[in-house]
Amino acid sequence: MLLSTFRVGLRLPATRSAYAARSVQCGAKRSISRSAIARRPIGSLALNRERAHDAPVESQADHVQAGHAVISTFDLFSIGVGPSSSHTVGPMRAGKIFIADLQELGLLDRVKMIKIVLYGSLAATGKGHHTPQAILLGLEGSDPETIDCGTIPSRYEAIVTNKTLHLGGNRRIHFDMDRDMLWCWDQVLKTHPNGMRFSCFDEQGDLLATNEYFSVGGGFVVNEKTKVDENLFYKGVDKSAVHGARLHQTHNVEEGDATPAQPKGDDPGHPPYPFESGNSLLALTEKHNLTIAQIVHDNERYFGLSEQDIHDKLMRIWAVMDDCIRSGVTTTEKTLPGRLKLQRRAPMLYRRLMRGFYPGIGMPAVQLIGAGATPTPVDAIDAPEGMEPPTTPKEDESGPVAAQNKRTRAPYVTGSFDHAMLPMPPRKTMIPAVDFLSCYAIAVNEVNASGGRIVTSPTNGAAGVIPAVLKYIIEFVSDDPEKSVKTFLLTAAAVGMLFKRGSTISAAEGGCQAEVGVACSMASAGFAACMGASPETVLQAAEIGIEHNLGLTCDPIDGLVQVPCIERNSLGAVKAVTAAQLSMASLGVYRVTLDEAIEAMRLTAADMSVKYKETSLSGLATTVKIPLTVPAC
């Protein structure tokens, strides 16, 4: 019989089935058929072994919706590690869950060997997204929120070199990357494209336990038994550490009046203000005379958090975002990891913004980003050739030679002067909002691309949009930063919940519209809320933010979260502010609702070719002549 744990449904074999060292074979074909959808039940590895030899198939998860959209803000915004929430954070959490279940069942001490199989998008771009590192360190007991990011490369290298894995941090087993981690990029399991299977065996090679996990975006991990259960609504690994309201809340309730903020006995019911759509959320704000941020705040109280807890958690989320920006603009690293050797731009952009309006003239000291930062000298960047300003000779320089060396050269103009249409001379224009938004967003995503500490907002690939817009509000707009942080994040979270329920926040399911597009929509809503806009205008801003990202594909070059991801976050931040401003200028005149736009995104995702869903099989990933990073099956 199949047994399951209380938490994630770990499957145990009914009979002993010798596995020895045989490997699951991947399909040889590169194309994935949409018509052949497997609906077979998931059993033990012994039963699944036959399926692994079948022709590649793609299976779409049924569009399952809970009765309401409410999850915790602190699941939507969670602290993790780069470069990807679905390919790094989720797999690390899945590895830790698998080990926690083995410990709970008393099986960990019997494990002698572990096999890991990656499927679909998780396999196609997993190497560039640091999926192997994430899974192995998760199996060693590391958590994405607390792991020391600086130790990840060395720990991973030690596992690969020594061929030794410390399960749960203490159980040492032999692990050979070439034999024990298998990549089936041309086969997709049902439920979700980001599938992985863990199987463990005893000393005789007999199967002890197996499970399949699906990283569904934003760091959320589900499996067959929990895809519509509690793991879809929270990111906890240990149920004993999760408030009862998170585990037993009902998701099929009718919208209505507020309920008590604390659960009663063992039947906590549902959050005080459940909403299942933008329209129902708007109805709640009108009925109870509350802002969207206040609605979400009161729902958090139901999950066992005090007002001080909510305040502290939100400020902690912002502190990590802000520190991420600071790290990005002050780093001394010149390039990002990976074969692209992409040059970092955030430090250069930030120095240019802070040096003043005169090219080549640097400020002697500037205040770094963040309250209480110590003034630190910032080097100036030389002006472009031909645009150097006049300078004063040093005290020890004199004479005509020195004066000649300091003479300003005329700017070089491209084009013919012997023409009816004269060429334009070079000039520079500063647009502060655009420049600062771009700098902040690029800084965050360069930190993410290097595997640094990050906040999923709502994913890592789109982690620069929301911090950039919020940073701009705090630095240039707000007169009450703490109030702005809380209003922005709570409002953005409400919009993110609607997308998670009504469509997806996973690029492997919906392309980049599900990541940067959703982040842009959330940031648009947050910006409008901080400007004091009405709930209706806030949701209109969110609709504009996603409407003009519909169809955005995910085609990362070489499977790295770098090109076009970093620049795309910059554009997403700028577009978010523009969307909010447009909604506030429209005076309530609009035709498309947020609910209609979310449904359009879901349909667009369903119609989108799998080649544009984080597989690096088309688009820029193929036109830019860099070999695709796909390990051989």
Side-chain angles (χ1 to χ4, degrees):
M1 63 178 178
L2 298 179
L3 302 179
S4 64
T5 65
F6 182 57
R7 182 164 59 255
V8 293
L10 188 71
R11 293 188 299 281
L12 307 179
T15 59
R16 297 165 63 88
S17 175
Y19 185 84
R22 283 180 288 174
S23 300
V24 176
Q25 298 296 317
C26 301
K29 296 183 179 180
R30 195 178 190 83
S31 62
I32 299 178
S33 171
R34 283 184 173 272
S35 59
I37 300 180
R39 296 294 181 187
R40 280 176 273 185
I42 295 180
S44 68
L45 183 62
L47 298 177
N48 277 319
R49 205 178 303 160
E50 178 184 354
R51 184 177 66 183
H53 289 281
D54 293 344
V57 295
E58 178 184 23
S59 301
Q60 295 285 349
D62 294 332
H63 186 58
V64 178
Q65 291 186 339
H68 65 75
V70 179
I71 60 175
S72 176
T73 301
F74 308 109
D75 285 335
L76 207 59
F77 295 118
S78 62
I79 300 170
V81 61
S84 173
S85 57
S86 60
H87 286 57
T88 314
V89 176
M92 184 180 292
R93 186 169 283 120
K96 186 173 182 181
I97 290 173
F98 187 68
I99 291 301
D101 282 346
L102 292 177
Q103 290 175 325
E104 182 177 317
L105 293 172
L107 295 175
L108 187 59
D109 291 339
R110 296 173 55 191
V111 175
K112 190 67 175 180
M113 177 172 58
I114 277 189
K115 294 287 183 179
I116 303 163
V117 188
L118 306 179
Y119 296 93
S121 172
L122 205 62
T125 56
K127 186 173 182 180
H129 287 66
H130 299 181
T131 303
Q133 294 94 315
I135 290 177
L136 296 181
L137 296 186
L139 290 172
E140 289 197 335
S142 295
D143 182 83
E145 182 171 350
T146 58
I147 189 172
D148 185 345
C149 300
T151 65
I152 293 177
S154 60
R155 289 178 60 187
Y156 175 67
E157 182 62 28
I159 293 172
V160 174
T161 302
N162 301 329
K163 296 185 178 181
T164 301
L165 191 62
H166 292 79
L167 299 181
N170 49 44
R171 172 65 173 169
R172 180 177 298 183
I173 66 169
H174 181 270
F175 186 86
D176 187 338
M177 277 288 296
D178 296 330
R179 186 193 68 177
D180 297 329
M181 184 172 288
L182 309 169
W183 307 73
C184 293
W185 48 268
D186 55 353
Q187 183 178 353
V188 179
L189 300 177
K190 71 175 190 177
T191 300
H192 197 276
N194 286 335
M196 65 197 106
R197 180 188 297 155
F198 300 156
S199 305
C200 61
F201 307 85
D202 62 17
E203 193 166 0
Q204 287 73 39
D206 295 324
L207 180 64
L208 290 175
T210 185
N211 209 345
E212 289 172 355
Y213 300 91
F214 303 92
S215 184
V216 297
F220 289 87
V221 177
V222 302
N223 66 6
E224 184 68 14
K225 291 183 179 298
T226 62
K227 65 182 180 180
V228 292
D229 200 354
E230 70 274 357
N231 275 27
L232 187 59
F233 303 103
Y234 81 102
K235 295 178 179 177
V237 173
D238 183 2
K239 270 195 171 182
S240 64
V242 179
H243 191 272
R246 305 302 315 280
L247 305 180
H248 304 295
Q249 62 170 315
T250 59
H251 288 268
N252 291 284
V253 295
E254 297 180 1
E255 59 186 80
D257 296 330
T259 57
Q262 295 299 326
K264 294 181 179 180
D266 58 355
D267 184 21
H270 58 79
Y273 301 109
F275 54 87
E276 49 85 25
S277 65
N279 287 339
S280 64
L281 175 59
L282 186 60
L284 286 173
T285 64
E286 293 174 351
K287 181 175 183 178
H288 301 287
N289 190 29
L290 296 171
T291 67
I292 293 175
Q294 290 170 338
I295 290 284
V296 178
H297 177 278
D298 289 352
N299 284 341
E300 294 297 334
R301 291 293 310 277
Y302 177 75
F303 295 139
L305 300 176
S306 66
E307 290 187 9
Q308 188 63 44
D309 290 335
I310 296 171
H311 171 87
D312 293 344
K313 283 178 172 288
L314 289 172
M315 298 313 297
R316 167 64 176 156
I317 291 294
W318 168 239
V320 175
M321 288 180 173
D322 194 32
D323 188 62
C324 190
I325 297 175
R326 183 186 296 108
S327 298
V329 300
T330 59
T331 182
T332 58
E333 297 290 333
K334 301 298 183 182
T335 60
L336 294 172
R339 296 190 301 174
L340 295 180
K341 300 298 181 185
L342 195 67
Q343 184 176 352
R344 289 177 180 261
R345 285 174 288 179
M348 172 186 65
L349 292 172
Y350 185 63
R351 291 200 301 271
R352 284 181 174 173
L353 287 170
M354 298 305 292
R355 72 184 178 185
F357 293 103
Y358 300 100
I361 303 296
M363 298 171 64
V366 299
Q367 188 77 14
L368 295 181
I369 295 179
T374 303
T376 304
V378 176
D379 296 333
I381 294 180
D382 293 334
E385 184 177 354
M387 297 187 67
E388 294 87 346
T391 57
T392 304
K394 297 180 181 179
E395 293 182 359
D396 58 347
E397 295 184 62
S398 60
V401 175
Q404 183 178 0
N405 290 339
K406 298 298 180 180
R407 186 176 302 160
T408 303
R409 291 180 292 177
Y412 180 79
V413 178
T414 301
S416 172
F417 286 92
D418 186 20
H419 196 280
M421 181 67 186
L422 292 177
M424 294 293 294
R427 60 186 299 171
K428 286 183 174 292
T429 301
M430 283 194 67
I431 307 176
V434 173
D435 293 339
F436 277 100
L437 285 167
S438 295
C439 178
Y440 297 153
I442 288 173
V444 172
N445 283 89
E446 286 180 349
V447 171
N448 177 66
S450 62
R453 179 71 62 214
I454 208 80
V455 175
T456 59
S457 45
T459 65
N460 283 21
V465 177
I466 286 174
V469 176
L470 181 51
K471 183 65 177 177
Y472 186 82
I473 291 172
I474 290 174
E475 294 293 340
F476 299 102
V477 179
S478 176
D479 55 2
D480 189 343
E482 287 193 357
K483 181 180 178 181
S484 294
V485 167
K486 293 190 288 186
T487 298
F488 185 98
L489 292 179
L490 291 173
T491 304
V495 173
M497 293 174 197
L498 292 174
F499 277 98
K500 182 164 177 56
R501 176 193 181 272
S503 186
T504 179
I505 57 172
S506 167
E509 265 191 315
C512 199
Q513 62 175 352
E515 297 204 16
V516 168
V518 172
C520 177
S521 181
M522 294 168 63
S524 300
F527 188 93
C530 287
M531 298 299 107
S534 68
E536 183 178 13
T537 301
V538 168
L539 295 187
Q540 182 189 358
E543 184 280 321
I544 296 174
I546 187 59
E547 180 182 341
H548 302 288
N549 281 291
L550 292 177
L552 196 60
T553 61
C554 182
D555 52 350
I557 298 176
D558 207 32
L560 301 171
V561 192
Q562 297 179 14
V563 180
C565 319
I566 295 174
E567 290 179 352
R568 189 165 287 172
N569 274 259
S570 167
L571 296 176
V574 174
K575 189 179 292 185
V577 173
T578 303
Q581 291 176 319
L582 182 58
S583 70
M584 291 184 288
S586 298
L587 300 177
V589 178
Y590 61 95
R591 179 61 183 83
V592 182
T593 67
L594 177 59
D595 293 334
E596 292 169 335
I598 292 175
E599 176 64 9
M601 178 188 146
R602 186 185 71 83
L603 295 175
T604 302
D607 291 339
M608 186 180 291
S609 169
V610 70
K611 295 186 295 184
Y612 297 104
K613 294 181 178 180
E614 209 168 1
T615 56
S616 291
L617 294 175
S618 191
L620 287 175
T622 55
T623 59
V624 177
K625 303 305 179 184
I626 295 178
L628 181 66
T629 303
V630 176
C633 285

